[in-house]
Amino acid sequence: MGTNSPPRREPLARGPHEVYFKNLSKQKQKEVMEKNGNNHKLRVCVATCNRADYSKLAPIMFGIKAEPQFFELDVVVLGSHLIDDYGNTYRMIEQDDFDIHTRLHTIVRGEDEAAMVESVGLALVKLPDVLNRLKPDIMIVHGDRFDALALATSAALMNIRILHIEGDDVKTRDYIVALQHPVTTDIKHSIKMFELTLDALISFNKRTLVLFPNVDAGSKEMVRVMRKKGIEHHPNFRAVKHVPFDQFIQLVAHAGCMIGNSSCGVREVGAFGTPVINLGTRQTGRETGENVLHVRDADTQDKILHALQLQFGKQYPCSKIYGDGNAVPRILKFLKSIDLKEPLQKKFCFPPVKDNISQDIDHILETQSALAVDLGGTNLRVAIVSMKGEIVKKYTQLNPKTYEDRLELILKMCVEAASEAVNVNCRILGVGISTGGRVNPREGIVLHSTKLIQEWSSVDLRTPVSDALHLPVWVDNDGNCAALAERKFGHGKGIENFVTLITGTGIGGGIVHQHELIHGSSFCAAELGHIVVSLDGPECLCGSQGCIEAYASGIALQREAKKLHDEDLLLVEGMSMKKEEVVSAAHLIQAAKLGNTKADSILRTAGTALGLGVVNILHTMNPSLVILSGVLASHYVNAVKDVINRQALSSVKTVDVVVSNLADPALLGAASLVLDYTTRRIY
């Protein structure tokens, strides 16, 4: 967090911008210059008022300077650049090898509303002489602060074209960057928020870089609050008046969190995926990325402290809502397109605005929840699942046989559950879908399914569900979801390497290695049910022979139970079946418990097959934990342990084998797809 002297900023002539413009044909360059008459160079005045707007204007200035055949650059410096208390930041401009044509002292000290008005008036008095002397074809102004207002007003009234812009890619995350300014429309409240922020940061006890506020009214009072709380002498804090932009960007890019109300938090920081806590109302109305958590108001430090606990150390997807790094080429291209012969007329260019997907702390304090969808061979289930793994509400329907009916029912049940979430004070963060078959989780597509779910191949689940609910959607294989459920809520919590085996209608599973789920190169990892344990074993639904699933799945046990029943060898004393009752695996298990030796032999063979499969997994992945999940898990656990003791290498015999304690791993796993992502951002 040091602030060493920055290296000299290199002009953009050595970057991609020069390449972009050199790719313009000489003929095109000639056409542009001829359009403006007699090869007239465009005289561009860039006016910069403070360190923040210079950081946005500097790349454009470099681009203009790199093309002298097109442009003449005049730099006007005013505002807080020239104030010692704010670091005399005009030196940054000189260090970047720009000639400053005019320095205007326009700030009336006082840092209150009246001083801001007087500063605007002083700038309006001084600027006309400068503009008359420079006679620019166009003035570039950044932002919407009071000093920019004076610039834009002067240029507009003197019929000078204005290019008004707002705002490019430059991992310890163990520190916080705090940057908070006074809100001129409610100074008293913003100072109170700043005081609460400092209290929360002191309580949070992380290394923090605090930047002094800007020159707006109320800044003196905020500095007094900093000094009253001893921030400048606190061992966890470093308070600075100015950090060069190059260093500042590096600091926020690698920070564990940024907190405050600076526009940088809602704009530039999103490009790095750094978590941001936006305080108060200063940025209200601006589009923000999902990395931004809003604390609109606070009476105590608790709400801000809670936001710090939620945000610190996360890594969000990088956002491009405020640009893709190509702003300078676009601006210069626009400048070259200006026809000076056209009459002056104000024009507005608005980029498309996307839905705001950021979060608000008041919403967070509701029960953060997920919609979980479980697509089984028999039933289709949807549930509201809280962050703690509580199933708040559950809906169950028979799984339709056709694709159209199934998708229609999924959407209907999800819409109903999402509506009910409001009534039970749950905030739905997204939808997680667990389904049988091979799934591409990156695209949310079921590539192909098991024979248990018909008409379920090459199915895009993410798009229709997301479109209907306006929520993010995650999709994965049911075995992988079971592993995620264990990682978040079950025996796998905090375990670096473990394997989950589902023992139900089929046999599936998921592998967690170094805390992360393994999908494989073609999304076929952890098809544990199809580990072959016998070359001449029974036929499996996959078409092969001797798979674990062919021995130990519910379907396999049902098949063997039917054989015994057809030979009148299933029922023993204490058992009875109705004439129309379908023979199931449950009957086989009941018979074995009541002393049926043939049924018991079938179960022991199934347990041995499963155990051999687990031994193969131990020898391949070397997990520290094996979790047996599903309705048959408790019947197999002892058999699996026995096989490990007999067959496994001594170095892996110490593995723990446990039965899952989760009541509904399928739904919890589907919910984990959402909850893991929204809390960790690395799934």
Side-chain angles (χ1 to χ4, degrees):
M1 292 175 63
T3 55
N4 297 328
S5 296
R8 186 178 296 279
R9 193 194 309 252
E10 292 294 337
L12 293 185
R14 292 178 14 174
H17 309 286
E18 181 189 33
V19 175
Y20 176 90
F21 290 107
K22 282 186 175 179
N23 287 335
L24 285 173
S25 68
K26 291 183 178 179
Q27 179 61 35
K28 179 61 178 176
Q29 294 176 2
K30 183 179 178 182
E31 290 174 2
V32 173
M33 296 180 73
E34 287 179 350
K35 181 177 71 173
N36 287 326
N38 301 320
N39 293 341
H40 172 74
K41 293 182 182 180
L42 192 71
R43 189 155 192 172
V44 181
C45 176
V46 177
T48 172
C49 307
N50 54 67
R51 66 189 180 194
D53 74 18
Y54 177 66
S55 67
K56 317 296 175 47
L57 294 167
I60 303 169
M61 294 162 65
F62 279 122
I64 292 171
K65 184 178 178 181
E67 301 203 40
Q69 73 275 26
F70 284 104
F71 306 113
E72 289 183 12
L73 175 63
D74 294 321
V75 180
V76 175
V77 172
L78 62 159
S80 61
H81 271 310
L82 303 172
I83 299 179
D84 181 65
D85 286 355
Y86 292 90
N88 283 325
T89 51
Y90 70 89
R91 295 192 185 107
M92 298 169 55
I93 305 169
E94 294 177 332
Q95 288 172 359
D96 285 340
D97 286 335
F98 290 112
D99 294 327
I100 299 176
H101 295 78
T102 303
R103 291 175 171 85
L104 290 179
H105 292 270
T106 58
I107 296 298
V108 176
R109 301 308 299 269
E111 287 78 28
D112 57 17
E113 294 94 335
M116 291 170 62
V117 175
E118 291 172 5
S119 296
V120 172
L122 184 57
L124 288 171
V125 169
K126 292 186 175 185
L127 279 167
D129 287 341
V130 175
L131 297 179
N132 272 327
R133 175 166 48 85
L134 296 179
K135 292 183 168 48
D137 296 314
I138 189 166
M139 174 182 279
I140 300 180
V141 180
H142 171 270
D144 54 7
R145 288 170 41 80
F146 66 89
D147 27 25
L149 172 64
L151 289 166
T153 302
S154 299
L157 294 176
M158 297 179 71
N159 286 327
I160 297 170
R161 291 171 172 82
I162 302 168
L163 178 59
H164 184 203
I165 61 170
E166 264 209 346
D168 269 52
D169 298 321
V170 261
K171 251 175 172 176
T172 64
R173 295 189 172 272
D174 63 343
Y175 63 89
I176 297 167
V177 175
L179 178 53
Q180 199 159 341
H181 302 300
V183 179
T184 57
T185 56
D186 194 349
I187 294 174
K188 184 177 179 180
H189 180 262
S190 64
I191 293 169
K192 178 64 176 176
M193 281 288 284
F194 185 55
E195 188 172 5
L196 295 175
T197 301
L198 294 179
D199 288 340
L201 288 168
I202 292 170
S203 298
F204 196 57
N205 198 31
K206 298 290 183 183
R207 296 170 64 204
T208 303
L209 175 70
V210 180
L211 279 81
F212 276 60
N214 63 22
V215 73
D216 286 353
S219 60
K220 276 189 176 180
E221 288 84 350
M222 293 181 74
V223 172
R224 289 193 194 104
V225 170
M226 289 174 60
R227 290 175 175 156
K228 179 182 176 182
K229 295 186 177 295
I231 294 301
E232 292 170 291
H233 306 289
H234 194 289
N236 268 354
F237 288 80
R238 175 83 179 273
V240 296
K241 293 180 178 178
H242 167 65
V243 178
F245 182 68
D246 292 343
Q247 293 183 27
F248 179 73
I249 282 296
Q250 290 292 332
L251 283 167
V252 296
H254 297 95
C257 180
M258 181 176 181
I259 186 170
N261 60 7
S262 169
S263 60
C264 178
V266 301
R267 294 202 301 248
E268 287 84 359
V269 177
F272 308 108
T274 301
V276 172
I277 300 170
N278 178 52
L279 301 171
T281 60
R282 190 168 184 262
Q283 304 301 329
T284 297
R286 277 191 167 135
E287 184 181 6
T288 56
E290 60 180 308
N291 65 308
V292 178
L293 173 60
H294 297 283
V295 180
R296 310 286 185 186
D297 197 5
D299 297 323
T300 68
Q301 62 162 307
D302 295 346
K303 197 180 285 189
I304 300 172
L305 186 60
H306 188 75
L308 284 165
Q309 292 165 348
L310 286 171
Q311 287 287 76
F312 185 77
K314 284 186 184 178
Q315 176 61 55
Y316 288 85
C318 296
S319 168
K320 293 185 178 181
I321 61 175
Y322 281 100
D324 56 5
N326 295 307
V328 171
R330 292 192 184 103
I331 290 170
L332 296 186
K333 183 179 179 181
F334 170 76
L335 287 171
K336 291 177 179 179
S337 72
I338 294 174
D339 186 352
L340 297 177
K341 297 176 183 178
E342 286 185 359
L344 286 175
Q345 178 60 49
K346 179 167 62 178
K347 295 181 180 179
F348 294 99
C349 297
F350 294 107
V353 178
K354 300 178 181 178
D355 290 338
N356 193 325
I357 55 174
S358 61
Q359 304 178 71
D360 192 295
I361 190 65
D362 292 317
H363 294 163
I364 299 293
L365 294 177
E366 295 175 324
T367 304
Q368 288 185 309
S369 306
L371 276 190
V373 180
D374 174 38
L375 276 156
T378 304
N379 292 322
L380 170 58
R381 301 184 302 157
V382 175
I384 302 169
V385 181
S386 75
M387 187 69 78
K388 294 181 179 180
E390 175 192 3
I391 296 179
V392 180
K393 187 89 172 181
K394 183 164 64 176
Y395 307 80
T396 304
Q397 296 282 350
L398 288 175
N399 193 348
K401 299 300 182 184
T402 66
Y403 160 77
E404 291 83 2
D405 291 344
R406 185 176 302 124
L407 190 58
E408 181 181 355
L409 183 58
I410 291 172
L411 297 178
K412 179 181 177 182
M413 293 175 71
C414 284
V415 169
E416 181 181 351
S419 299
E420 178 61 21
V422 177
N423 298 328
V424 294
N425 197 37
C426 289
R427 181 173 181 236
I428 302 300
L429 303 176
V431 183
I433 302 176
S434 167
T435 180
R438 188 163 64 96
V439 175
N440 178 345
R442 298 173 190 165
E443 304 295 332
I445 294 174
V446 182
L447 300 175
H448 63 74
S449 188
T450 66
K451 292 183 179 179
L452 299 176
I453 308 178
Q454 301 296 319
E455 296 187 21
W456 208 236
S457 296
S458 300
V459 174
D460 178 2
L461 274 178
R462 174 176 294 163
T463 301
V465 176
S466 181
D467 288 348
L469 297 175
H470 304 291
L471 288 169
V473 176
W474 290 265
V475 186
D476 213 332
N477 165 270
D478 51 6
N480 290 335
C481 286
L484 290 177
E486 295 294 341
R487 186 180 72 178
K488 187 164 186 66
F489 302 115
H491 292 302
K493 193 170 185 177
I495 305 298
E496 185 175 10
N497 303 296
F498 71 90
V499 173
T500 298
L501 268 163
I502 304 175
T503 58
T505 305
I507 301 289
I511 299 171
V512 172
H513 179 64
Q514 295 181 346
H515 298 294
E516 294 304 318
L517 191 65
I518 294 178
H519 284 98
S521 59
S522 59
F523 314 109
C524 200
E527 287 290 349
L528 306 180
H530 299 292
I531 295 175
V532 175
V533 293
S534 174
L535 295 178
D536 57 356
E539 185 176 349
C540 181
L541 287 175
C542 72
S544 184
Q545 285 185 292
C547 298
I548 297 175
E549 189 169 289
Y551 284 101
S553 67
I555 289 178
L557 296 183
Q558 182 184 39
R559 179 193 65 223
E560 297 302 314
K562 285 181 177 178
K563 288 181 181 178
L564 290 180
H565 186 64
D566 290 344
E567 297 172 6
D568 290 329
L569 298 175
L570 178 64
L571 300 182
V572 294
E573 186 177 349
M575 289 181 66
S576 62
M577 286 183 62
K578 296 178 181 178
K579 187 175 182 181
E580 66 277 6
E581 190 173 353
V582 177
V583 177
S584 67
H587 293 112
L588 185 76
I589 294 169
Q590 183 185 13
K593 286 182 177 179
L594 293 174
N596 186 324
T597 57
K598 291 187 179 296
D600 184 65
S601 176
I602 292 169
L603 283 178
R604 280 189 284 108
T605 300
T608 299
L610 187 64
L612 289 173
V614 170
V615 168
N616 287 330
I617 295 169
L618 298 182
H619 292 165
T620 304
M621 297 302 301
N622 191 25
S624 61
L625 174 67
V626 174
I627 304 171
L628 300 183
S629 178
V631 294
L632 300 173
S634 60
H635 302 291
Y636 287 146
V637 62
N638 291 329
V640 169
K641 290 179 179 179
D642 289 342
V643 176
I644 291 173
N645 287 329
R646 295 196 313 267
Q647 301 287 340
L649 294 172
S650 59
S651 57
V652 300
K653 285 184 178 180
T654 57
V655 66
D656 288 330
V657 180
V658 299
V659 175
S660 174
N661 60 0
L662 299 180
D664 207 327
L667 285 173
L668 291 178
S672 295
L673 289 170
V674 178
L675 302 177
D676 273 0
Y677 183 83
T678 54
T679 56
R680 296 176 65 228
R681 302 289 171 187
I682 59 174
Y683 170 68

